Amino acid sequence: MEFLPTLWFVLIAVLWIGYLFLEGFDLGVGMHLLFSARSERERRVMLNTIGPVWDGNEVWLLTAGGATFAAFPFWYASLFSALYIPLVIVLLGLIFRAVAIEYRGKGSTDAWIRSWDFALGLGSLVSAFGVGAALALTTTGLPLNENGDRVGGAWAWFNGYAVLGGLAVVGFCLVHAAAFLALKTEGPVRERSRRFVSLALPVALLPLAAWVLVIQFRSGTLVTWALVLVAVTAAVVAWFANRAGREGWSFIGLGVFLVTGAAALFGAVYPIVLPSTLDPAHSLTIWNASSSDYTLGVMSIVAAVGVPLVLVYQGWTYWVFRKRVTAASIPEAHAVMPAVRSR
Amino acid sequence: MDAIDPLLIARWQFGITTVYHFWMVPLTLGLGPVVAFMQSRWHKTGDERWYRMTKFWGKLYLINFIMGVATGIVQEFQFGLAWSEYSRFVGDVFGAPLAMEALLAFFVESTFLGLWIFGWNRLPKRLHLACLWIAVIGSVISAYFIIVANSWMQHPVGVELIDGRPVMTDVLAVLGNNTAIAAYIHTIFGALAVGGGFLLGIAWYQLWQRRRDGIDTVDSTGRVVVGEATDIPGRDRADHRVWISSLRIGAVVAVVAFAGVAASGDLQAKLMFDQQPLKMAAAEGACHDGTAFSVLSVGNLGSKDCDDVVAVIEVPGILSFLANGDFETEIRGINSLIPEYQEKYGTHLPDDPMYGARAGQEIEYLPIMEVTYWGFRLMMGFGALAAVAAAVALWITRRGTVPASRPLMQLAIVGILAPFAANSAGWIFTEMGRQPFVVAPNPNPSGTDGVFMFTAAAVSPGVNFTELLFSLAAFTLVYAVLMVFEVRLLVRYVRGGVASSVPKLHARRDDDSPPPSDDVLAFAY
């Protein structure tokens, strides 16, 4: 075990887990917009729970990508080029989602708003599914040759694990978002979200649990099995807390489920960062995929300064906007008319 | 074998997505500091005009900002997607500034902008203003890191070659790359020119609209007589001050920015003559050694032996001046540089599997000269044109409003595009001029000698023609559609004037309704 590559493996795991935790609920809110809201006002209540924070949450993904490039360039190059088509689709989903959040309320017609809602919901769904598929394949492997390039054509990556991973992240996002909405809203949206957690949690978390178990049976250790135990307990606690109306605990329980579950995944695959399904000799590990110790050292200093700062000011943002969003707190949409004298 | 080399598709894709991304980015970088300045003035003076300016320009800033964010995600990932061999080769040094950009700048920018957008009436006023400044500073810092990454491709420094791969040995050399410092200053001033032109054009339209609607008139000396239209939301007396201030701030920013662009551009040119002599020779269409700057060259700029190019108008000495600061030193032309490149870096691509079907091909060292020659001139031409126009606009509006002429107003609107065009032309010139290299060698090494990579070796070997064609088509289509929506929204909010961003102006005349309670968000999606 070498210290710096291991440290960076841990950091990249932290970035991915941070991304899934934070963007997990705002991707989920995007999907809920398609089917949970009963009126335009409710949709706006839901959207505004993530309004101040979603963009900052998304930066976790960018940072996970950038940090992988800096610390494990061979991992970054092989993973992204092997999953070319699905990741292009993820990018398109994220583009539509971001633009939709900003633009949906700036038009006036129903068609405009409905179209952007569709873009927002579908973009969230597609990117959550794609990120899940990519992460699942990162743990189960891709058909890579000795140079780390994919063999077998554009769809050679596709298998059941991709679908399982996609479902896992989508399912988690939906439940996590419902718990978040229950915590952050009042009235019918809150009630409906709580009911959704009650009904959906036991089913929607199953794919993620299945994925974690597959990896544990392959290469789990005592520590990672212990994490799995914590994850299962946390999910059960989340369900009961939700039943008891303790929305904060329910949200935290789901968060712990994700953090420990994903940590069990990363812990079990270590020190392999990207297995080759063709030949274990082609697998990328923290040793053959990493940057030099000098680069990792420099980046460690940057991370030591940057990461705590990010946690502090993003945490502060959540505190500033800690109040529940209610229908009454949403201002009337106002018309934008040309400031021109009609003649 | 595919009909078209996948490399070509991958290059078009990088070009299209990056040039497009860099339409939003300079506006973000240029408008951000101006909006923050406006809000600062509002806090300092309490003048309603600055409040309205903050709200109006802030709204346009956000409409544009989000497109920069959305298209920026593609930038972070497309090195791995389509350029995996490049990512493997440069990863030890090139990934670091990208990760620093995300960790130290993007988080700051996105988090504090969210606080600013939703923090109206919720955060203490000074803290709210500080959030905007911090977000803007985040943007400005992000530009530095990405320029550092790009400049390393132009002038590789701070590395050592280990097993044929550059390994970082000096991060301060990478961050302090002289190419990066010059390019950064140039980029920031170029972005401010975009912001200035944007303010100028839109404010001009608004002042013109006030005159057309008969709200403002001019007296016999040409001085403005400000009026008021109670029937149009927002068209009160303060509205006039909003637009004339915006116009004059925009014009001043544009003129000052151009001075900065010119000075930093001069610095860059001198570095480039030294670091990438062939790029500058190609920018000049300079086949033979000499001192003259070509104003117009005709003939077949694309011809390989370069004997077809004839300079029709040239100014003696100027090229030397650009490169060295004197009028006598001969600048080496293409004909004497190419043999030197061939000797140092070979005449044919090596027979290495990393070049795929391109292995063994003859290397074309001369960049596409139509692109470099005209890119260089369009950059300077559009930049200078915009600055002169801004100076003229300051003069024309000295009596407090714009002329009633419609064509002049249309010119001011179209003029918004000139600094954008200058930015794009400059980037296309410098990136195309770097070819056939993706990491350019420096024949008179001031960086690490021998660090270079041919673009032909950089593309992802595992990604096929169909995949690239799919993504090229998808990105181009989606980007084109989103451009339509962005422009539509910008036009809508511009036509709405200040009232589009300050709803209370709508309600002003029937102002009996109680003020909204503190719980109502001042801003909501």
Side-chain angles (χ1 to χ4, degrees):
Chain A
M1 174 170 139
E2 279 179 66
F3 176 66
L4 282 171
T6 302
L7 175 71
W8 273 90
F9 180 80
V10 172
L11 263 172
I12 284 164
V14 167
L15 289 167
W16 276 114
I17 295 170
Y19 174 70
L20 291 173
F21 184 106
L22 293 171
E23 185 129 295
F25 61 75
D26 68 45
L27 286 171
V29 168
M31 294 181 235
H32 275 280
L33 221 57
L34 282 182
F35 63 90
S36 292
R38 300 280 156 82
S39 65
E40 168 64 8
R41 190 157 277 258
E42 282 190 11
R43 272 188 288 275
R44 292 185 67 199
V45 166
M46 289 164 66
L47 192 58
N48 279 290
T49 59
I50 60 166
V53 295
W54 72 271
D55 190 12
N57 294 347
E58 198 159 290
V59 177
W60 285 81
L61 175 68
L62 259 79
T63 310
T68 310
F69 195 176
F72 298 99
F74 294 88
W75 182 10
Y76 170 80
S78 291
L79 178 67
F80 282 69
S81 61
L83 295 175
Y84 191 86
I85 298 252
L87 289 179
V88 165
I89 292 172
V90 166
L91 290 175
L92 294 171
L94 289 173
I95 290 172
F96 272 113
R97 194 181 110 79
V99 177
I101 292 175
E102 190 66 41
Y103 283 8
R104 85 178 281 286
K106 290 193 166 64
S108 54
T109 63
D110 282 349
W112 171 278
I113 292 173
R114 268 203 309 276
S115 308
W116 284 117
D117 279 346
F118 185 68
L120 173 52
L122 195 67
S124 304
L125 175 68
V126 163
S127 33
F129 192 92
V131 166
L135 285 177
L137 294 171
T138 307
T139 59
T140 60
L142 289 163
L144 302 179
N145 64 17
E146 69 283 354
N147 191 44
D149 295 319
R150 184 198 62 211
V151 238
W155 301 97
W157 52 272
F158 185 81
N159 60 31
Y161 294 125
V163 178
L164 181 66
L167 291 176
V169 172
V170 169
F172 170 75
C173 288
L174 282 171
V175 177
H176 199 36
F180 180 75
L181 287 171
L183 181 64
K184 293 291 292 177
T185 61
E186 288 281 14
V189 175
R190 181 183 181 183
E191 294 312 313
R192 224 174 295 133
S193 300
R194 271 184 58 193
R195 265 205 309 283
F196 184 89
V197 174
S198 261
L199 288 172
L201 185 145
V203 185
L205 297 189
L206 283 182
L208 184 55
W211 168 22
V212 172
L213 287 176
V214 166
I215 300 299
Q216 295 311 310
F217 280 116
R218 284 187 175 187
S219 54
T221 64
L222 202 61
V223 177
T224 58
W225 275 109
L227 287 168
V228 174
L229 201 65
V230 178
V232 174
T233 315
V236 173
V237 168
W239 190 81
F240 280 106
N242 179 69
R243 282 260 304 205
R246 305 296 297 267
E247 287 137 347
W249 286 108
S250 156
F251 179 74
I252 289 171
L254 281 163
V256 172
F257 166 77
L258 176 86
V259 171
T260 48
L265 285 171
F266 282 103
V269 296
Y270 174 89
I272 295 175
V273 294
L274 186 59
S276 168
T277 51
L278 298 182
D279 182 345
H282 303 161
S283 293
L284 297 178
T285 66
I286 62 158
W287 300 292
N288 67 15
S290 66
S291 286
S292 64
D293 274 1
Y294 178 81
T295 298
L296 293 179
V298 167
M299 291 312 299
S300 301
I301 296 169
V302 172
V305 176
V307 174
L309 268 176
V310 169
L311 291 174
V312 167
Y313 61 68
Q314 285 206 336
W316 177 63
T317 308
Y318 283 91
W319 188 79
V320 168
F321 300 107
R322 66 194 174 282
K323 273 173 113 173
R324 288 179 188 266
V325 180
T326 65
S329 58
I330 301 293
E332 288 294 329
H334 76 277
V336 176
M337 308 289 250
V340 178
R341 180 163 284 156
S342 45
R343 57 187 77 218
Chain B
M1 192 53 217
D2 304 311
I4 304 173
D5 191 343
L7 174 65
L8 193 63
I9 316 255
R11 286 184 61 193
W12 271 106
Q13 174 165 298
F14 199 94
I16 288 173
T17 51
T18 309
V19 168
Y20 187 93
H21 178 60
F22 210 76
W23 287 335
M24 288 79 203
V25 171
L27 187 55
T28 298
L29 287 172
L31 207 49
V34 178
V35 175
F37 167 77
M38 289 167 177
Q39 190 173 345
S40 298
R41 294 300 301 159
W42 174 49
H43 284 204
K44 184 108 181 143
T45 64
D47 185 341
E48 160 93 5
R49 159 182 48 158
W50 296 108
Y51 170 76
R52 293 191 192 180
M53 285 163 78
T54 308
K55 282 289 201 176
F56 176 80
W57 296 108
K59 186 77 95 179
L60 301 190
Y61 175 76
L62 292 178
I63 291 173
N64 174 71
F65 179 84
I66 196 61
M67 289 283 288
V69 168
T71 54
I73 315 169
V74 177
Q75 299 304 98
E76 191 87 18
F77 292 137
Q78 68 172 330
F79 298 104
L81 286 166
W83 304 96
S84 64
E85 284 295 322
Y86 170 79
S87 304
R88 290 182 183 120
F89 180 72
V90 302
D92 200 71
V93 53
F94 188 86
L98 255 63
M100 291 180 197
E101 183 186 26
L103 195 56
L104 302 179
F106 286 155
F107 270 125
V108 172
E109 187 185 25
S110 58
T111 308
F112 284 92
L113 198 64
L115 279 159
W116 181 71
I117 298 172
F118 283 81
W120 288 95
N121 303 346
R122 181 155 300 209
L123 290 168
K125 268 179 81 175
R126 290 170 68 155
L127 191 56
H128 181 242
L129 174 62
C131 286
L132 179 58
W133 274 112
I134 294 170
V136 167
I137 290 167
S139 303
V140 173
I141 292 175
S142 79
Y144 186 70
F145 287 117
I146 199 65
I147 295 282
V148 162
N150 176 269
S151 295
W152 191 84
M153 301 161 79
Q154 318 278 357
H155 181 223
V157 290
V159 292
E160 208 171 88
L161 274 176
I162 295 176
D163 298 333
R165 188 170 169 265
V167 172
M168 185 154 70
T169 52
D170 186 353
V171 68
L172 295 181
V174 173
L175 292 172
N177 192 346
N178 54 11
T179 316
I181 291 167
Y184 178 64
I185 300 170
H186 199 59
T187 306
I188 293 294
F189 278 118
L192 284 169
V194 167
F198 191 73
L199 253 70
L200 172 55
I202 291 170
W204 189 295
Y205 159 77
Q206 292 288 351
L207 287 168
W208 176 84
Q209 189 66 53
R210 285 179 63 91
R211 289 203 62 182
R212 180 179 150 80
D213 285 343
I215 304 167
D216 297 339
T217 48
V218 292
D219 64 16
S220 56
T221 64
R223 185 161 294 281
V224 65
V225 180
V226 178
E228 186 165 26
T230 48
D231 55 329
I232 310 172
R235 285 290 193 226
D236 52 12
R237 284 172 191 281
D239 187 54
H240 169 266
R241 293 192 300 133
V242 164
W243 301 121
I244 193 70
S245 295
S246 297
L247 188 148
R248 300 186 73 84
I249 289 171
V252 169
V253 167
V255 171
V256 171
F258 184 71
V261 165
S264 56
D266 178 60
L267 203 63
Q268 271 188 298
K270 287 183 170 49
L271 290 173
M272 214 179 276
F273 273 111
D274 182 42
Q275 294 166 355
Q276 299 181 69
L278 195 46
K279 184 197 280 188
M280 285 312 287
E284 275 307 309
C287 291
H288 308 287
D289 302 356
T291 66
F293 176 85
S294 148
V295 177
L296 181 65
S297 291
V298 294
N300 185 1
L301 283 167
S303 82
K304 284 187 181 172
D305 61 6
C306 174
D307 289 332
D308 287 352
V309 180
V310 183
V312 182
I313 311 170
E314 45 179 30
V315 190
I318 293 297
L319 189 56
S320 274
F321 182 72
L322 285 178
N324 298 305
D326 66 45
F327 296 93
E328 287 85 31
T329 317
E330 292 241 312
I331 300 306
R332 298 181 59 202
I334 292 160
N335 288 345
S336 72
L337 283 168
I338 287 194
E340 186 187 320
Y341 272 76
Q342 285 174 332
E343 195 189 324
K344 277 195 106 154
Y345 312 113
T347 53
H348 293 79
L349 292 173
D351 269 322
D352 188 306
M354 75 194 292
Y355 293 95
R358 294 169 290 276
Q361 277 178 7
E362 197 181 343
I363 303 165
E364 179 55 75
Y365 281 106
L366 186 60
I368 305 172
M369 248 205 298
E370 292 98 323
V371 175
T372 51
Y373 183 88
W374 288 112
F376 193 53
R377 273 153 194 73
L378 288 175
M379 169 185 78
M380 294 193 291
F382 277 124
L385 192 69
V388 170
V392 170
L394 272 179
W395 172 254
I396 292 179
T397 58
R398 70 193 180 284
R399 294 193 207 284
T401 191
V402 300
S405 153
R406 179 189 282 269
L408 217 49
M409 178 277 287
Q410 287 165 333
L411 196 64
I413 293 283
V414 174
I416 293 174
L417 298 176
F420 282 99
N423 270 279
S424 295
W427 276 108
I428 290 169
F429 154 62
T430 202
E431 298 300 286
M432 291 292 284
R434 197 188 55 224
Q435 304 302 329
F437 298 99
V438 63
V439 179
N442 303 141
N444 323 304
S446 51
T448 315
D449 196 15
V451 176
F452 65 90
M453 183 184 209
F454 286 108
T455 309
V459 74
S460 297
V463 177
N464 65 39
F465 171 78
T466 325
E467 288 171 277
L468 285 162
L469 200 62
F470 159 75
S471 59
L472 172 67
F475 282 128
T476 308
L477 188 71
V478 167
Y479 280 16
V481 169
L482 292 181
M483 175 56 71
V484 172
F485 288 127
E486 178 182 1
V487 171
R488 260 177 71 179
L489 273 189
L490 286 175
V491 167
R492 184 177 146 86
Y493 276 83
V494 165
R495 285 174 59 85
V498 169
S500 65
S501 313
V502 184
K504 69 173 183 188
L505 293 174
H506 279 290
R508 188 153 278 190
R509 274 156 295 116
D510 36 59
D511 212 1
D512 300 329
S513 55
S517 88
D518 286 348
D519 278 348
V520 176
L521 291 159
F523 181 98
Y525 283 129

